Amino acid sequence: MWRLLIESDIGERTQIALKRDEYLIGRAEGCYVRLTEQNISRRHARFRRYGTAFLVEDLGSYNGTYVNGARIVQPVAVAHADLVQIGDYLLLVQQETTEPVPEPPPFHLPQLAGPATRPPRLVMLAGPTPSTEFPLTRPHMTVGRGDVDIDIAHSSVSRLHCEIVAVDGARFEVVDLGSANGLLVNGASFQRALLDSGDVLTLGEVTFKFVGTGETVRFDARDLQLLSLPQPLDFAVKALPYAVFAVVVTLGGYFAWVLARR
């Protein structure tokens, strides 16, 4: 028998045995699996039986449906231990055997992948230090300003903005820690989200690209555009001569007007 373990962003769990042929998931009252967070669409996704297995299908939701960190665009067959993300909820797929199935540990498993040529990392695209790489070398890493693992010196980033957690030994999840400006993954707002290679993570006005284990950094046209944007300090330095010139001209005109009236 198949079952789902549903975990909310605050760690609350619900277990559902998949005995029916179809399960509609969303915020609407008619959904069999009703998830109430605002980033869940009214009719968000559907699980339906396919032979002896199940398919998960996104129903045109605003924030999408993800299987093992990848956004799906068509129905996808799920297997035992797959992770499905719908808004701020994680759904762990399990196929029960005739033996008792023990309760699994929390989905945030503190294990990192084995040795590789380069560790997974965040590469800054837009912010105070573009192109800087931040290796994700520990199971839990906090991001913010000051006393954190990844220190970002930008006012739009909260002092304790988010944490990045190793999940299932190979993937990473980013979790908002009550930041003022929130977090976006590929332009969509989340409280928690699984990161896939190439995903763009935005914290306030600072943007990163997530690069997987052993991978090289590859920038597309949008990434290069972000890298080329003038940063706040650069802009201020370049604009300073023009500002001084404007002030001199304004004051000169004012004093000329005063002298002309005498």
Side-chain angles (χ1 to χ4, degrees), residues 86-201:
I86 297 176
D88 291 335
Y89 296 86
L90 286 180
L91 289 70
L92 176 65
V93 179
Q94 287 197 321
Q95 185 177 22
E96 298 181 356
T97 64
T98 55
E99 299 295 326
V101 178
E103 180 73 10
F107 299 163
H108 306 291
L109 301 181
Q111 301 173 1
L112 290 173
T117 55
R118 301 204 57 186
R121 57 207 184 277
L122 297 177
V123 181
M124 186 178 292
L125 298 178
T129 56
S131 302
T132 302
E133 298 189 5
F134 301 90
L136 304 177
T137 54
R138 294 197 294 276
H140 291 76
M141 297 188 69
T142 53
V143 184
R145 289 185 292 120
D147 188 18
V148 290
D149 298 311
I150 298 177
D151 183 13
I152 308 299
H154 196 281
S155 60
S156 67
V157 177
S158 297
R159 293 192 179 278
L160 191 60
H161 200 110
C162 66
E163 68 175 338
I164 298 177
V165 184
V167 178
D168 283 346
R171 290 166 291 164
F172 286 84
E173 182 183 32
V174 57
V175 181
D176 189 277
L177 296 177
S179 65
N181 292 318
L183 60 86
L184 304 177
V185 176
N186 299 326
S189 176
F190 290 97
Q191 288 294 318
R192 59 192 290 179
L194 291 171
L195 293 176
D196 194 27
S197 181
D199 281 349
V200 174
L201 171 64

